[in-house]
Amino acid sequence: MSDIARAAGVSVKTVSRVHNGEENVSPETRDRVMQAIAELGYVRNDLARAFRMGDSSVLGIVVPDIEDPFFASIVHQVDQSAAEHGMLTFVAGTGDDPEQERRRVEALMGRQLSGLLLASVSHDHGYLQRWANSTPIVFIDRRPEGIEGDSLASDDAAGAITVTQHLLDHGHHKIAFLGDSLEVSTTSARLASYREVLGAAGIEANPEYAVMSGFTPEGVTRAIDSLRALPDQPTALISSNGRANQIIAAQVSDLQLALVAFSDFPLADALSPTITALDQQPRLLAQQAVARLLERQRHTGGTALPFEAQTVPSVLVERQSCQRPIVDQPLTRH
Amino acid sequence: MSDIARAAGVSVKTVSRVHNGEENVSPETRDRVMQAIAELGYVRNDLARAFRMGDSSVLGIVVPDIEDPFFASIVHQVDQSAAEHGMLTFVAGTGDDPEQERRRVEALMGRQLSGLLLASVSHDHGYLQRWANSTPIVFIDRRPEGIEGDSLASDDAAGAITVTQHLLDHGHHKIAFLGDSLEVSTTSARLASYREVLGAAGIEANPEYAVMSGFTPEGVTRAIDSLRALPDQPTALISSNGRANQIIAAQVSDLQLALVAFSDFPLADALSPTITALDQQPRLLAQQAVARLLERQRHTGGTALPFEAQTVPSVLVERQSCQRPIVDQPLTRH
DNA sequence: TTGAAAGCGGTACCAC
DNA sequence: GTGGTACCGCTTTCAA
């Protein structure tokens, strides 16, 4: 920078002013500086800048699995929103491990993030308290536990109602529910709404129809097998395990079982039958989460913005899989 | 940090030494400092540290589309490798736009990256020259143009040979080739090998069998339609357009057309028929790219490491789609 | 084994 | 409209 200053015959401060497009610089001076910058191929050290300003203009997004289509979509949108605000994006995958999640979050926090988006698998976020007053945090897809904070998640209750009602409307009475784990608040919320809807329809929910798979592919297979082994077989299945939808869809297509999946996924409309799914709108979710983050950042230190648990509506994408086995003849492909 | 120093009754330098696990600190002093750190909940400002050290310990990965399974897989692995080396990861998506690619790369470079991985869509990387001596760059999936540099890509020639030969072995003579654009070196390399293999088998390649889709879904549909309209229809198709495999697979399943796809994808084994694909091993590719980056970083300034164009072998995953229409009866699902 | 002071490359405050 | 200078929080150099 001092090279530029010398070349243009001005002070470093003026170079700084020009680079940041500040007022109070005469056009001639500006031109001279711009030219020197261009000639010398100067690139500002944004690390130094961020350091001095105490803010890095970087967003952090932490997810369990970057490859999962739902989270990939979120990462994509976060990056895009960040770019629109002239910011960059740190990603970190945690592999569903709370320990690793904590380590990586702490590593991120050391870098003076402008804000952190966290799709957590942990059940205790107390360790984040330390940064609560310095770095805005927005929880994604899950609510904070052991700490107060903003969050953005799908409207699970409404989604479960939609899905269950949809199957009822298609004449199903024996509806099974496949979730990951009841410890996940999302899952238990959905299960509760599912039971409510059945109850309201005068159907007593067969407790054996609600199975939890855990978080492994083997667990999913085991759960489906356990349904298959039931004397009184269900005719429809709600998959509440978005991470395993592809596996479930593949396994269920053999069965005479209607299927509706939480979380839409890339080939849902290419499978046979095509899979009816509840689109959770991950892009919208991410967009709103970033918006919230920036809003809170603006209010830093000033008026204390109350914490909010915001919700994103899900959209049912009707395809074929909810109709079986009502329709007897083989379904035609779309 | 000076707070810690005061609390422990030492100098900031000693705090620094302790934090970095340097030698030459007496155990008692170390304990005292550690305790002060724990009590005051001190977190080091890694931004300041990176600034001072002139290296941020951050890797950058730039891809056309974060949601694409191939690139999502690469981002995932880069992040994982980075974490293993105590580094963080910047991601940036470019949306296939060379302009945006350049803007985002420049934004990244301003942050004193330890290294940049670039899956470029641009045909001129001359603008990177500026950083050639300061920041290691490894090109991914494409070779550098207008500049020298390291690169890691799939072995396209070998892959195309494998794929084409595989279809020949299954009795196909009329094999079509669907690529994105001949301007993509990857595509033209594959096409050349495809022609070579056919030639070696004594088959003259019908020029109408080679179609380019461009980069849009509409282009893909158009390309497939143009094949469909041919008087002398092909019996098999090679999809060299990894980004569109899912669309192509969905569209082709209606046709009586064998299919082998470059780039394996998540539901390839759930479609009907299951899709034979060439796994490009994106994780391996990313891993080796990071390794190369770190290797070059270590040699910074010292011995000039010669640039290398490394290659990752692809693995054919045999499924059902290459057999049609040889098999007449409907295929049973796996 | 420990500490004092310089400096990384920018920005902010204030004087001119 | 412009420049001088302190300073962000850490590491480095060198002296004690």
Side-chain angles (χ1 to χ4, degrees):
Chain A
M1 194 153 129
S2 62
D3 289 349
I4 303 295
R6 203 176 314 116
V10 297
S11 75
V12 289
K13 177 58 197 167
T14 302
V15 177
S16 172
R17 271 195 268 259
V18 170
H19 214 141
N20 295 320
E22 285 175 31
E23 308 296 317
N24 298 335
V25 180
S26 74
E28 309 90 63
T29 311
R30 177 176 305 277
D31 286 349
R32 226 159 358 110
V33 172
M34 298 282 258
Q35 195 184 335
I37 288 179
E39 276 176 9
L40 297 181
Y42 166 74
V43 211
R44 177 172 64 194
N45 182 339
D46 284 308
L47 197 60
R49 178 183 158 88
F51 165 55
R52 174 64 229 235
M53 314 235 300
D55 179 290
S56 58
S57 284
V58 170
L59 257 34
I61 166 75
V62 176
V63 295
D65 177 9
I66 297 170
E67 286 188 77
D68 180 273
F70 178 72
F71 294 119
S73 186
I74 285 178
V75 172
H76 186 162
Q77 180 60 51
V78 169
D79 172 53
Q80 200 169 305
S81 295
E84 281 164 13
H85 291 90
M87 310 178 101
L88 288 172
T89 312
F90 275 135
V91 254
T94 65
D96 290 291
D97 176 7
E99 261 317 303
Q100 211 188 327
E101 175 179 314
R102 180 173 174 156
R103 274 199 304 276
R104 304 223 67 196
V105 165
E106 289 180 338
L108 285 170
M109 285 309 205
R111 309 221 79 121
Q112 318 298 100
L113 292 189
S114 299
L116 177 72
L117 296 157
L118 176 57
S120 177
V121 295
S122 166
H123 288 294
D124 179 13
H125 304 112
Y127 73 97
L128 289 168
Q129 194 66 57
R130 184 187 295 177
W131 293 282
N133 291 314
S134 53
T135 307
I137 305 177
V138 171
F139 291 83
I140 278 192
D141 194 42
R142 300 270 180 89
R143 308 268 175 236
E145 297 178 52
I147 189 178
E148 291 206 299
D150 292 309
S151 63
L152 254 126
S154 300
D155 188 339
D156 289 307
I161 292 171
T162 304
V163 160
T164 311
Q165 191 59 51
H166 185 69
L167 285 168
L168 287 176
D169 291 346
H170 278 75
H172 291 279
H173 299 280
K174 303 177 180 177
I175 304 174
F177 182 99
L178 171 52
D180 41 19
S181 159
L182 288 173
E183 295 202 355
V184 177
S185 58
T186 287
T187 306
S188 47
R190 291 173 184 172
L191 185 59
S193 293
Y194 147 89
R195 288 195 170 128
E196 235 166 65
V197 173
L198 290 189
I203 298 171
E204 60 163 328
N206 182 339
E208 292 185 317
Y209 282 175
V211 292
M212 296 298 137
S213 65
F215 300 90
T216 62
E218 299 74 45
V220 171
T221 306
R222 209 177 312 125
I224 292 178
D225 285 347
S226 78
L227 287 177
R228 205 182 256 136
L230 253 37
D232 188 17
Q233 295 247 331
T235 65
L237 175 64
I238 294 173
S239 161
S240 164
N241 187 340
R243 308 275 291 279
N245 274 344
Q246 305 196 330
I247 304 171
I248 293 168
Q251 297 198 20
V252 161
S253 69
D254 288 339
L255 281 56
Q256 285 299 90
L257 206 53
L259 174 66
V260 181
F262 270 85
S263 223
D264 201 8
F265 54 96
L267 281 179
D269 61 352
L271 293 170
S272 144
T274 59
I275 308 293
T276 293
L278 196 70
D279 178 8
Q280 305 200 84
Q281 308 202 85
R283 297 290 286 266
L284 185 60
L285 196 154
Q287 203 174 14
Q288 295 195 10
V290 171
R292 181 67 189 169
L293 210 51
L294 298 178
E295 194 177 359
R296 188 164 284 284
Q297 193 196 13
R298 277 195 301 279
H299 289 241
T300 284
T303 341
L305 231 49
F307 292 119
E308 273 183 30
Q310 289 181 266
T311 252
V312 173
S314 300
V315 178
L316 187 69
V317 184
E318 285 195 53
R319 299 202 184 91
Q320 297 166 336
S321 65
C322 55
Q323 299 168 4
R324 302 173 74 199
I326 307 264
V327 181
D328 273 321
Q329 66 269 39
L331 296 162
T332 50
R333 300 289 308 284
H334 170 62
Chain B
M1 194 154 127
S2 61
D3 289 348
I4 304 294
R6 203 176 313 115
V10 297
S11 74
V12 290
K13 175 57 197 165
T14 301
V15 177
S16 172
R17 270 194 270 260
V18 170
H19 214 141
N20 295 322
E22 284 176 32
E23 308 297 317
N24 296 336
V25 179
S26 74
E28 308 90 65
T29 312
R30 176 176 305 276
D31 287 349
R32 227 159 357 112
V33 172
M34 299 281 259
Q35 195 184 335
I37 288 178
E39 276 175 8
L40 298 182
Y42 166 73
V43 212
R44 178 172 62 194
N45 181 338
D46 284 309
L47 196 61
R49 176 185 160 86
F51 164 55
R52 174 64 230 239
M53 312 232 299
D55 180 289
S56 58
S57 285
V58 169
L59 257 34
I61 166 76
V62 176
V63 295
D65 177 8
I66 296 171
E67 285 189 77
D68 181 272
F70 178 73
F71 294 121
S73 185
I74 285 178
V75 171
H76 185 163
Q77 180 62 50
V78 169
D79 172 53
Q80 200 169 305
S81 295
E84 281 164 13
H85 291 89
M87 309 177 100
L88 288 172
T89 313
F90 275 135
V91 254
T94 65
D96 290 291
D97 176 6
E99 262 317 303
Q100 211 189 329
E101 175 179 314
R102 179 171 176 157
R103 274 200 303 276
R104 303 224 66 195
V105 165
E106 289 180 338
L108 285 170
M109 285 309 206
R111 310 223 73 124
Q112 318 299 99
L113 292 189
S114 299
L116 176 72
L117 296 156
L118 176 57
S120 177
V121 295
S122 165
H123 288 294
D124 179 13
H125 305 112
Y127 73 97
L128 289 167
Q129 194 66 58
R130 182 188 294 178
W131 294 282
N133 291 313
S134 53
T135 306
I137 305 177
V138 171
F139 291 82
I140 278 191
D141 194 43
R142 300 271 179 88
R143 309 271 175 232
E145 296 178 53
I147 190 178
E148 291 207 297
D150 293 309
S151 64
L152 255 127
S154 301
D155 189 339
D156 289 307
I161 292 171
T162 304
V163 159
T164 312
Q165 191 59 51
H166 186 69
L167 285 168
L168 287 176
D169 292 346
H170 278 76
H172 291 280
H173 299 280
K174 303 176 179 177
I175 304 174
F177 182 100
L178 170 52
D180 40 21
S181 160
L182 287 173
E183 295 202 355
V184 177
S185 59
T186 288
T187 306
S188 47
R190 291 173 184 171
L191 184 60
S193 293
Y194 148 89
R195 288 193 171 130
E196 236 167 63
V197 173
L198 289 188
I203 298 171
E204 59 162 330
N206 182 340
E208 292 184 317
Y209 283 176
V211 292
M212 296 298 137
S213 65
F215 300 90
T216 62
E218 299 74 44
V220 171
T221 306
R222 210 177 310 124
I224 292 178
D225 285 347
S226 78
L227 286 176
R228 205 182 256 136
L230 253 35
D232 187 17
Q233 296 248 330
T235 66
L237 175 64
I238 295 172
S239 160
S240 165
N241 188 340
R243 307 277 291 280
N245 274 343
Q246 304 196 332
I247 304 170
I248 292 169
Q251 298 198 18
V252 161
S253 69
D254 286 339
L255 281 55
Q256 286 299 90
L257 205 53
L259 175 65
V260 181
F262 270 85
S263 222
D264 201 8
F265 53 96
L267 281 179
D269 61 352
L271 293 170
S272 143
T274 59
I275 308 293
T276 293
L278 196 70
D279 178 8
Q280 304 201 86
Q281 309 202 83
R283 297 290 286 265
L284 185 60
L285 196 154
Q287 202 174 16
Q288 295 195 11
V290 171
R292 181 66 188 168
L293 209 50
L294 298 178
E295 193 176 1
R296 188 165 285 284
Q297 193 196 14
R298 278 194 300 277
H299 288 240
T300 284
T303 342
L305 233 48
F307 293 120
E308 273 182 32
Q310 288 181 266
T311 251
V312 174
S314 300
V315 179
L316 187 70
V317 185
E318 285 195 52
R319 300 202 183 91
Q320 298 168 335
S321 66
C322 55
Q323 299 167 4
R324 299 173 78 199
I326 307 262
V327 181
D328 273 321
Q329 65 271 38
L331 295 162
T332 50
R333 301 289 309 285
H334 168 63

